[in-house]
Amino acid sequence: MDRFDAVIIGAGAAGLFCAAQAGQRGLKVLLIDHAAKLGEKIRISGGGRCNFTNREASPAQFLSENPHFCRSALARYGAADFIALVRRHGIAFHEKHKGQLFCDDSAEQIISMLLRECEAGGVTRWQPCKVIGVRREADGWVVASDRGEIATDAVVVATGGLPVPKIGASDFGLRLAERFGHRIVEPRPALVPLTFDPAAWAPFVPMAGIALPVAISTETPARRSTVRTEFLEDLLFTHRGLSGPAVLQISSFWRPGQAIRVNLAPGADLADMLARAKLHSRRQLGNELAAWLPQRLADTWLALHGPAADTPMPQLPDAALRRLAAGLQQWELLPTGTEGWRKAEVMAGGVDTRDLSSQSMESRLQPGLYFIGEVVDVTGWLGGYNFQWAWASAFACAEALAARHASAVPADLSKPTIPE
Ligand code: FDA
């Protein structure tokens, strides 16, 4: 039977990086993936340019049942460390928006970089290779695969989350965690478009494709109160509901039955502006409103809620203008669902961090079993944070694997040697 110091299951962002780091620390590493092509999510990320980290990454941009869990790993391997690696590999990049860093050319460059790093660590890769089972033995672990059984001291689960099943996502990591006694925080699609009741949404269907900057918020029940979360980003109308960065961000905080609130003219005091326009403008309401909103949205809104778009400004009652402004700046919507795993960018929930060490990502229940990346209940905001978690958790795990390996070596040397 082949023997490795560590077997890493899942050759995505976290698995590739962990394999490279552990290999470069002298471990004999096997990296397995069931997909024929590795790093598919890296390839499709950031519109093909991979938003590989965020300059501002800190624990504040991550959701988890335990918001402190990610602290240690992020402190030990931060955005600056990954940026330095990208620079060493000569990959050109740029900042797009709010600290988000993208490759100038292609996400393929990040995959090639990770593969070169794996080569430098002498990592063995098997793919496509199906893992049939994982079992504990007296002296470590055995991973059974369709290429045979492998003995190992450590198993690292880096199989990612449930989004986009057609490119290799699976619930393998969650099932394995459960089988070995770990608690699971209910997985749910996050960074995902929101959908609405088709009848209620019908008037907005013709607006599909319209985008505008908004402030979006929701209130999530917390232990003793509610926590209000707000983002200032672009919103996009779709045929079935809402998308765009604003909605993807808020979707991670949204729970079924919860309302979201949208301010369609953030930074403006619409009530005041409409009151002034009434005094100075002779235009019709629809045209006046189009100064702050896309014309089609203004027209649809007025058709639905009034007053009539063709009313001249001076004829509008003050109370009607105040109601209109309040409606547009505090638009409350009740989503009925999300676009689900097919369209989600990440999974919220996952392996419960109470059963893992935040220093090493090792299971507290099963020594030698590690979980890294998206399979863990740590979910980043939109903007490069999820890759940063993949790199940071992989790095923490690789350091722990190396320490484990180093401490195992003197133990072996201390065994009495039998002269031949
Ligand atoms: P990842 O999904 O990368 O890798 C898991 C690997 O495990 C896959 O290769 C899979 O084939 C393999 N696997 C699964 N089950 C297995 C099994 N049973 N046996 C063997 N192998 C198995 N994030 C970000 O920070 N910036 C961005 O720009 C984007 N953009 C983006 C776009 C889109 C469309 C999506 C869907 C996602 C993003 N993300 C993102 C999120 C980011 O891609 C994601 O968080 C990381 O890839 C997670 O890294 P992991 O290594 O944990 O999982």
Side-chain angles (χ1 to χ4, degrees), residues 222-343:
R223 252 170 227 146
R224 280 196 214 110
S225 56
T226 53
V227 178
R228 183 169 179 275
T229 312
E230 183 179 78
F231 291 96
L232 270 170
E233 290 283 359
D234 281 359
L235 170 143
L236 173 72
F237 284 86
T238 72
H239 287 103
R240 285 161 45 87
L242 293 173
S243 185
V247 172
L248 299 187
Q249 294 284 32
I250 214 71
S251 72
S252 301
F253 296 84
W254 177 79
R255 301 296 173 98
Q258 214 169 290
I260 58 168
R261 194 168 269 208
V262 176
N263 178 348
L264 291 165
D269 182 345
L270 261 192
D272 182 58
M273 287 167 148
L274 287 169
R276 283 166 195 261
K278 176 179 170 171
L279 297 177
H280 304 294
S281 167
R282 313 219 140 264
R283 289 200 288 186
Q284 295 179 343
L285 175 61
N287 296 335
E288 196 61 47
L289 211 52
W292 297 293
L293 296 176
Q295 181 77 64
R296 256 196 295 159
L297 174 56
D299 291 345
T300 305
W301 188 277
L302 293 174
L304 274 176
H305 304 286
D310 58 0
T311 319
M313 285 306 294
Q315 291 175 19
L316 285 156
D318 292 346
L321 289 180
R322 277 198 301 275
R323 250 195 328 274
L324 173 62
L328 289 167
Q329 296 208 280
Q330 295 166 43
W331 186 20
E332 195 163 288
L333 297 113
L334 195 62
T336 47
T338 75
E339 290 284 1
W341 296 116
R342 209 170 43 89
K343 291 274 180 77

Side-chain angles (χ1 to χ4, degrees), residues 9-15 32-35 37-42 44-47 50-53 102 129-131 158-161 163-164 167-173 175 344-346 372-375 381 383-388 390:
I9 307 173
I32 295 180
D33 203 296
H34 65 172
K37 277 170 106 182
L38 53 71
E40 273 298 90
K41 284 216 182 141
I42 303 176
I44 62 169
S45 68
C50 186
N51 176 195
F52 56 80
T53 192
F102 289 76
C129 173
K130 193 170 157 37
V131 175
T159 47
V164 206
I167 57 164
S170 81
D171 64 354
F172 175 89
R175 278 191 288 114
E345 283 200 11
V346 284
I372 57 173
E374 199 178 312
V375 74
W381 292 1
Y385 300 104
N386 285 293
F387 279 135
Q388 187 54 42

